[in-house]
Amino acid sequence: MGLHIIRPDTTFDFIGIRKLMLAMSGAVILLGILSIAWHGGPRWGIDFAGGVTVQVKLSKAADLGQFQDALSASDLPGMLVQRFGQEGDNEYLVRISTLDVTADQASAKVSEALKAKLPDNPFVIQRQEMVGPKVGADLRGKAMEAMFYAVLLIAIYISGRFEQRWMVAGIMAAGLAAGVYLLGLTGMSTAWMTIGALLITLVLCWKLKLNYALGAVVALIHDVWITAGVFSLLDKEFDLTTVAALLTIIGYSLNDTIIVYDRIRENLRAKAAPDLASIINLSVNQTLSRTLLTSGTTLLAVVALLLFGGGVIHDFALALFVGIVVGTYSSIFVASPVLLGFESWIKTDDEAPAAA
């Protein structure tokens, strides 16, 4: 017998509270969008926005206010100072958004200011790096494209895997390619093109009645938006490690969704319940223990990274933590209820030959 933390014969009514949970998701997403709008867009890191980063380690403890006051005479424009790592590490990041100084010049000015203002607190410049604006813009565009193509390939895979409609999935891909080409002719930015392409993907899934793919794509967009919103609310930066975390979240959330979808398909074949709502409830209850065990063990590793991994991967671990929690939630309360919204499209094995 398999390991269960929740009995597989539980009868929680997940579908019965779907409207409440979807309303909660909508409120959280709206709050994140408002936060991003309030901050004038995502807070891009040096990787994407361009600029200079200098990492400093002090020998003795100093609060953030003292460190900022010490650097106030450095005359570095657009300077932002933040604590790095754990409280006792005494490490700080100095981020300069201007490109009028090189990394060496910024490091020299930081050193001069600290020697003058904190002479009794020796320090070490641990690293310095500089990213140009063109490189940052290119990286930002490539990151958006990577997330979009990940979602597109997932939609094609889900359509073929669960509905055996590879040809229709190919039609969707061709239609999307045409849509992206037309969007490119307008000269809009990569970010807006990516958002437009995602909307086209949703419309094509709806029009072509790729219901499983539609549910999976909606759940993935839900997970990414909430994670991005949480980062904006916490005033965290979006950099390459954050994008890597978002791509990991997309894959992890898909894994949970496939587990639930696979059981729904099996129960549809077996006619295990009289209607689709009951079948979805039954399937989610049957896979609940496995879902929670998988997410729980993964979260243990992520929490260890979050607490003890240091400042370099702290934001990466935070994004993973939020994404895993939200991805598990969306597999139950977002991806599955979307299927119920298109109940007339769901075909059992008896109906599949006729549909073909």
Side-chain angles (χ1 to χ4, degrees), residues 35-57:
S35 175
I36 292 173
W38 176 263
H39 288 101
R43 183 181 163 196
W44 302 114
I46 297 295
D47 295 337
F48 294 145
V52 179
T53 298
V54 179
Q55 182 178 335
V56 182
K57 182 176 177 64

Side-chain angles (χ1 to χ4, degrees), residues 68-129:
Q68 287 175 322
D69 290 341
L71 291 180
S72 60
S74 63
D75 255 354
L76 289 170
M79 185 176 62
L80 176 67
V81 179
Q82 67 183 88
R83 191 179 294 278
F84 190 73
Q86 305 299 318
E87 185 76 23
D89 292 343
N90 302 327
E91 295 183 19
Y92 299 87
L93 276 185
V94 183
R95 300 180 183 270
I96 302 123
S97 58
T98 183
L99 295 169
D100 295 334
V101 295
T102 65
D104 289 335
Q105 290 172 337
S107 180
K109 288 190 175 185
V110 168
S111 297
E112 289 172 8
L114 290 176
K115 287 176 181 176
K117 296 291 184 178
L118 298 174
D120 58 342
N121 197 342
F123 63 90
V124 176
I125 302 293
Q126 294 191 312
R127 69 180 169 104
Q128 58 188 46
E129 57 186 36

Side-chain angles (χ1 to χ4, degrees), residues 19-237:
K19 292 182 180 178
L20 172 63
M21 305 309 288
L22 289 173
M24 287 176 55
S25 291
V28 174
I29 291 173
L30 179 60
L31 187 61
I33 291 173
L34 291 175
S35 175
I36 292 173
W38 176 263
H39 288 101
R43 183 181 163 196
W44 302 114
I46 297 295
D47 295 337
F48 294 145
V52 179
T53 298
V54 179
Q55 182 178 335
V56 182
K57 182 176 177 64
L58 301 178
S59 298
K60 304 175 185 177
D63 62 42
L64 187 60
Q66 287 179 307
F67 192 81
Q68 287 175 322
D69 290 341
L71 291 180
S72 60
S74 63
D75 255 354
L76 289 170
M79 185 176 62
L80 176 67
V81 179
Q82 67 183 88
R83 191 179 294 278
F84 190 73
Q86 305 299 318
E87 185 76 23
D89 292 343
N90 302 327
E91 295 183 19
Y92 299 87
L93 276 185
V94 183
R95 300 180 183 270
I96 302 123
S97 58
T98 183
L99 295 169
D100 295 334
V101 295
T102 65
D104 289 335
Q105 290 172 337
S107 180
K109 288 190 175 185
V110 168
S111 297
E112 289 172 8
L114 290 176
K115 287 176 181 176
K117 296 291 184 178
L118 298 174
D120 58 342
N121 197 342
F123 63 90
V124 176
I125 302 293
Q126 294 191 312
R127 69 180 169 104
Q128 58 188 46
E129 57 186 36
M130 181 176 185
V131 177
K134 181 68 169 65
V135 174
D138 288 345
L139 286 174
R140 191 165 64 241
K142 295 297 183 184
M144 296 286 286
E145 287 179 12
M147 285 190 285
F148 162 68
Y149 284 116
V151 172
L152 171 62
L153 292 173
I154 284 168
I156 294 172
Y157 168 75
I158 291 287
S159 301
R161 169 75 169 78
F162 288 96
E163 301 176 87
Q164 301 300 315
R165 301 176 68 191
W166 292 104
M167 184 174 293
V168 177
I171 293 172
M172 178 187 71
L176 181 60
V180 170
Y181 174 75
L182 293 175
L183 289 175
L185 295 178
T186 65
M188 64 175 60
S189 66
T190 304
W192 283 110
M193 277 186 62
T194 304
I195 293 172
L198 282 174
L199 292 175
I200 293 172
T201 303
L202 290 174
V203 171
L204 288 173
C205 286
W206 174 58
K207 287 292 186 181
L208 297 173
K209 297 186 177 182
L210 299 172
N211 42 289
Y212 285 97
L214 182 61
V217 170
V218 169
L220 294 178
I221 294 174
H222 166 276
D223 299 344
V224 171
W225 263 114
I226 287 187
T227 305
V230 169
F231 259 56
S232 179
L233 289 168
L234 296 176
D235 201 24
K236 295 287 186 180
E237 290 186 344

Side-chain angles (χ1 to χ4, degrees), residues 296-317:
T297 51
T298 308
L299 279 176
L300 289 177
V302 172
V303 169
L305 286 176
L306 190 60
L307 296 178
F308 310 113
V312 176
I313 61 171
H314 179 271
D315 288 355
F316 174 80

